């Protein structure tokens, strides 16, 4: 049983477009929702994270939108660039815990 | 600051053989984690060390997997005997404090292929 469901599996956008990656969760005990970015041959790296007391968080061109009642959160990449091409993973955890529950990942390709 | 180092980066072994993966965490990080991603699936937690002690090994698939962390420094993950379904990318991560809120630092992973 997958606790964090991520979609789409892959995504292709043109430079300047706004890719959106969605995740849904079931466990209401989750209180920390990070996004990780992974480039080929590298490990996942923390990109941005949100806690459920806010509905949106922005860091540069990356925005997380969070809907607590729907148990969904999403990543938006504004003015996407070819350098954003990577695999993106959403995750969730109970902050007091050390264990991250990941989604299945989204391969993003940003075409020049 | 050196990152989390894993080696080998790739390993191809035959079914039934033994493979040992190694992870060197960031110096001073007491918390060390192993995760695995099977092709196209989610990254799954395997286990968590605090210093040399196993805090949680609930994600270990079966008793063919053995993790150790000698002296609270580097860690090894041994698979013996390897099966086809063990293929995947094994990630190690470390953190200074427990609790995911502070963020992990992941290594680049070891891609294991069992043929």
């Amino acid at each position: 049983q997958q606790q964090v469901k991520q979609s789409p599996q892959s995504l292709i956008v043109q430079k300047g477009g706004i890719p959106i990656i969605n995740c849904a969760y079931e466990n209401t005990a989750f209180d920390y929702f990070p996004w990780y970015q992974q480039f080929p041959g590298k490990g996942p790296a923390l990109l941005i994270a949100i806690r459920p007391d806010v509905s949106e968080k922005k860091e540069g061109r990356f925005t997380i939108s969070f809907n607590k009642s729907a148990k969904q959160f999403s990543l938006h990449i504004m003015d996407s660039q070819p350098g954003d091409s990577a695999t993106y993973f959403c995750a969730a955890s109970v902050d007091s815990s050390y264990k991250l529950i990941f989604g299945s990942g989204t391969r993003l390709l940003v075409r020049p | 600051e050196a990152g989390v180092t894993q080696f080998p980066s790739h390993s191809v072994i035959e079914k039934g053989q033994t493979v040992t993966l190694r992870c060197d965490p960031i110096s001073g990080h007491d918390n060390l984690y192993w995760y695995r991603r099977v092709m196209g699936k989610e990254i799954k937690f395997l286990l968590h060390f605090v210093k040399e002690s196993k805090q949680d090994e609930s994600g270990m698939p079966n008793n063919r997997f053995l993790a150790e962390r000698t002296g609270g420094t580097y860690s090894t993950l041994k698979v013996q005997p390897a099966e086809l379904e063990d293929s995947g990318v094994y990630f190690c991560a470390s953190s200074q404090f427990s609790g995911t809120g502070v963020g992990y630092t992941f290594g680049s992973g070891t891609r294991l292929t069992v043929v």
Side-chain angles (χ1 to χ4, degrees):
Chain A
Q1 181 188 6
Q2 196 171 342
Q3 295 191 53
V4 178
K5 293 186 179 180
Q6 183 172 348
S7 64
Q9 192 172 26
S10 62
L11 188 54
I12 301 174
V13 299
Q14 292 295 128
K15 178 183 172 183
I18 306 176
I20 300 173
I21 304 169
N22 300 297
C23 287
Y25 64 97
E26 289 297 324
N27 187 348
T28 55
F30 289 148
D31 59 3
Y32 175 71
F33 301 88
W35 284 87
Y36 280 78
Q37 179 188 55
Q38 184 189 14
F39 293 107
K42 302 293 185 183
L46 180 62
L47 183 63
I48 185 173
I50 197 168
R51 297 185 188 278
D53 52 344
V54 297
S55 60
E56 186 176 276
K57 182 173 181 179
K58 289 184 182 180
E59 286 187 6
R61 296 183 293 105
F62 300 91
T63 299
I64 301 178
S65 297
F66 187 82
N67 185 330
K68 188 174 181 178
S69 60
K71 292 186 286 185
Q72 295 176 346
F73 58 110
S74 60
L75 177 70
H76 301 230
I77 306 176
M78 309 302 289
D79 186 28
S80 59
Q81 301 296 312
D84 297 329
S85 298
T87 299
Y88 293 82
F89 293 94
C90 62
S93 76
V94 177
D95 190 42
S96 59
S97 165
Y98 42 79
K99 187 186 300 185
L100 282 170
I101 309 298
F102 283 91
S104 53
T106 297
R107 287 186 76 172
L108 171 65
L109 175 63
V110 181
R111 289 202 166 125
Chain B
E1 176 183 76
V4 176
T5 305
Q6 291 186 247
F7 51 93
S9 58
H10 294 82
S11 180
V12 180
I13 62 171
E14 291 184 353
K15 176 182 171 181
Q17 290 187 320
T18 297
V19 63
T20 300
L21 315 181
R22 174 167 167 150
C23 170
D24 286 55
I26 292 173
S27 178
H29 281 194
D30 288 339
N31 294 273
L32 186 149
Y33 316 84
W34 284 97
Y35 282 77
R36 175 175 76 170
R37 188 185 191 208
V38 173
M39 175 99 89
K41 304 283 187 180
E42 68 270 28
I43 301 171
K44 280 192 173 179
F45 171 85
L46 295 179
L47 86 160
H48 170 216
F49 283 99
V50 176
K51 297 185 180 179
E52 67 276 7
S53 300
K54 291 177 188 174
Q55 290 295 110
D56 181 355
E57 52 184 331
S58 62
M60 296 287 263
N62 50 61
N63 59 10
R64 295 185 293 103
F65 289 74
L66 175 64
E68 294 180 323
R69 190 178 183 193
T70 307
T73 55
Y74 70 91
S75 175
T76 58
L77 180 64
K78 180 189 286 188
V79 185
Q80 178 182 30
E83 298 289 344
L84 298 179
E85 64 264 24
D86 300 332
S87 296
V89 182
Y90 290 76
F91 291 105
C92 174
S94 72
S95 65
Q96 187 172 7
F97 304 107
S98 188
T100 53
V102 298
Y104 293 172
T105 301
F106 279 89
S108 297
T110 294
R111 182 175 295 276
L112 174 65
T113 303
V114 183
V115 297

